[in-house]
Amino acid sequence: MLAQQAVRFNEFRRFPLLKALDWLETNFRPYNPEEELQVGLFRVPVPMVDMAAFREAVANALIHRDYHRLGAVHVRLEDDALVVSNPGGLVEGVTLANLLVTEPRPRNRALADAMKRIGVVERSGRGVDTIYRGMLKFGRPAPDYSRTDAHNVVVRLPTEPADLDFRRLVVEEERRRGAELPIDSLITLAALRELKRVTADELAGRIQRDAASAKRTLEALIEAGLVEAHGAARGRSYTLSAAVYQRRGERAAYTRQAGFTPIQHEQMVLNYVRQHGQIRRAEVMDLCRLSEGQAKDLLKRMQGNGLLKLEGAGRGAFYRVGKRGLKTDENG
């Protein structure tokens, strides 16, 4: 265990695997403080490190390590993370880009099967899901495997303070469903909490699936009232719903993320043209934070309504105030 890079506790043990797992868990618990969150009539524990994620990360390191290589499994509690590493890189066919979706490929098949049978690790072989769930359900960052290379697998579990409002949201939704949130849904909610707004394409990379799968996950969360969609098909993006922001006490934040209505966009463009004499499509995109397709649709609509008139063509095209826009000025 490290504190400000100084070693506070340092132990090396050579044990049989089951004894090693038990010893590590027993000795880790005193360094894993826990607070409680009140959700309705229930108290929900909020540990610094989720014990299910801890057990799975340590068990994976011991079971899937390369026993042909010298070296030890290391479990380090640093100032800002729990770090677990083991000799041997990822098994052939497993990469950082498919950790969540690839079929189980144990390096030590007989050992992995034995550990599943006695309940040490997930019988489904999807232990990575357990590690992700143990991080994301508390509003913490996803597990970080970026230091993994051809010689070692390294997973870093950040121990930053939990987001208690997010944890409450997850608990309430899971109780409503009577089941845990699917891991893709949990990753989606965590991404929206972090990034505020995502597209299906952006989310696809996070859940390690295609855009169609990401869209299905988003649509399911819309049905649950947790997510809202904004914009047309080409520029469609998603945010947490107004109800979620309200439960978190962040109503103003929702308004900022939800953006402006089409009428408000029109007014912003008209104000810009009145101040500067003209506007180009790129300037509309920057002003209203729209995609190229959305800006094109907005300008076409305003031109059709007589609010703007197009001058020039191609790259030199720009828009001035139209007849209806001038009338609005006179009436104003």
Side-chain angles (χ1 to χ4, degrees):
M1 187 176 101
L2 303 178
Q4 301 296 331
Q5 302 306 312
V7 178
R8 290 177 52 190
F9 178 78
N10 191 11
E11 290 280 349
F12 287 90
R13 289 287 186 271
R14 288 185 174 88
F15 287 143
L17 287 184
L18 292 179
K19 185 175 181 181
L21 286 167
D22 183 63
W23 184 88
L24 282 165
E25 181 172 340
T26 300
N27 282 271
F28 176 68
R29 284 187 179 276
Y31 297 99
N32 191 29
E34 186 177 281
E35 58 181 317
E36 288 187 338
L37 172 67
Q38 189 76 33
V39 182
L41 299 176
F42 300 92
R43 292 183 182 275
V44 178
V46 181
M48 182 179 69
V49 177
D50 179 68
M51 286 307 299
F54 172 86
R55 283 190 291 268
E56 198 68 33
V58 172
N60 282 350
L62 291 170
I63 295 168
H64 300 301
R65 65 157 292 173
D66 187 346
Y67 281 95
H68 291 98
R69 291 178 178 267
L70 296 177
V73 169
H74 292 275
V75 181
R76 299 192 307 277
L77 182 59
E78 300 178 349
D79 289 331
D80 58 353
L82 175 76
V83 182
V84 181
S85 61
N86 63 266
L90 294 170
V91 180
E92 184 179 357
V94 179
T95 69
L96 298 184
N98 69 8
L99 271 174
L100 286 165
V101 295
T102 188
E103 291 299 314
R105 303 167 189 263
R107 175 180 277 117
N108 308 298
R109 187 171 298 277
L111 178 58
D113 187 57
M115 290 298 183
K116 289 177 190 176
R117 287 174 180 273
I118 62 178
V120 172
V121 293
E122 284 282 335
R123 287 185 174 273
S124 64
R126 299 301 316 140
V128 173
D129 290 7
T130 300
I131 301 173
Y132 267 74
R133 185 179 300 280
M135 299 301 298
L136 298 180
K137 70 182 181 182
F138 294 108
R140 295 188 174 108
D144 178 8
Y145 287 86
S146 62
R147 289 164 56 188
T148 294
D149 57 28
H151 307 290
N152 296 278
V153 173
V154 183
V155 58
R156 185 176 180 276
L157 309 182
T159 55
E160 62 185 54
D163 181 335
L164 299 183
D165 288 330
F166 187 82
R167 179 61 180 139
R168 180 179 286 107
L169 169 70
V170 172
V171 170
E172 290 175 345
E173 178 61 19
E174 290 183 339
R175 285 185 178 162
R176 185 187 70 81
R177 295 174 179 228
E180 288 186 326
L181 278 166
I183 189 64
D184 287 356
S185 295
L186 189 55
I187 292 172
T188 300
L189 292 174
L192 288 170
R193 170 188 170 274
E194 175 191 351
L195 302 175
K196 310 305 182 188
R197 181 185 289 265
V198 299
T199 64
D201 288 334
E202 291 168 340
L203 180 62
R206 294 232 171 186
I207 64 175
Q208 299 182 356
R209 299 181 187 275
D210 57 25
S213 297
K215 188 172 181 180
R216 285 194 294 271
T217 296
L218 287 161
E219 295 297 332
L221 290 171
I222 290 173
E223 289 293 322
L226 298 176
V227 169
E228 289 182 8
H230 306 273
R234 285 181 296 174
R236 198 171 181 84
S237 61
Y238 302 82
T239 68
L240 292 174
S241 69
V244 170
Y245 274 102
Q246 183 173 356
R247 285 156 68 181
R248 291 172 60 86
E250 299 176 345
R251 296 183 182 182
Y254 170 77
T255 300
R256 287 194 297 271
Q257 294 307 321
F260 299 95
T261 66
I263 294 176
Q264 289 172 313
H265 281 148
E266 290 181 3
Q267 192 60 50
M268 290 167 68
V269 171
L270 279 176
N271 287 341
Y272 186 98
V273 177
R274 288 163 184 161
Q275 292 169 9
H276 303 285
Q278 63 183 47
I279 194 168
R280 299 177 186 275
R281 187 190 303 171
E283 292 169 329
V284 173
M285 292 168 62
D286 183 59
L287 176 68
C288 301
R289 296 185 178 181
L290 298 176
S291 67
E292 183 175 1
Q294 290 172 326
K296 184 177 180 180
D297 291 343
L298 173 62
L299 289 167
K300 184 177 180 181
R301 184 171 64 249
M302 292 182 71
Q303 183 183 359
N305 291 339
L307 294 172
L308 296 177
K309 61 179 180 180
L310 174 64
E311 296 191 7
R315 292 185 177 181
F318 60 89
Y319 296 81
R320 294 189 185 276
V321 175
K323 291 183 179 179
R324 187 177 162 207
L326 289 172
K327 290 180 181 179
T328 304
D329 282 343
E330 293 169 359
N331 294 335

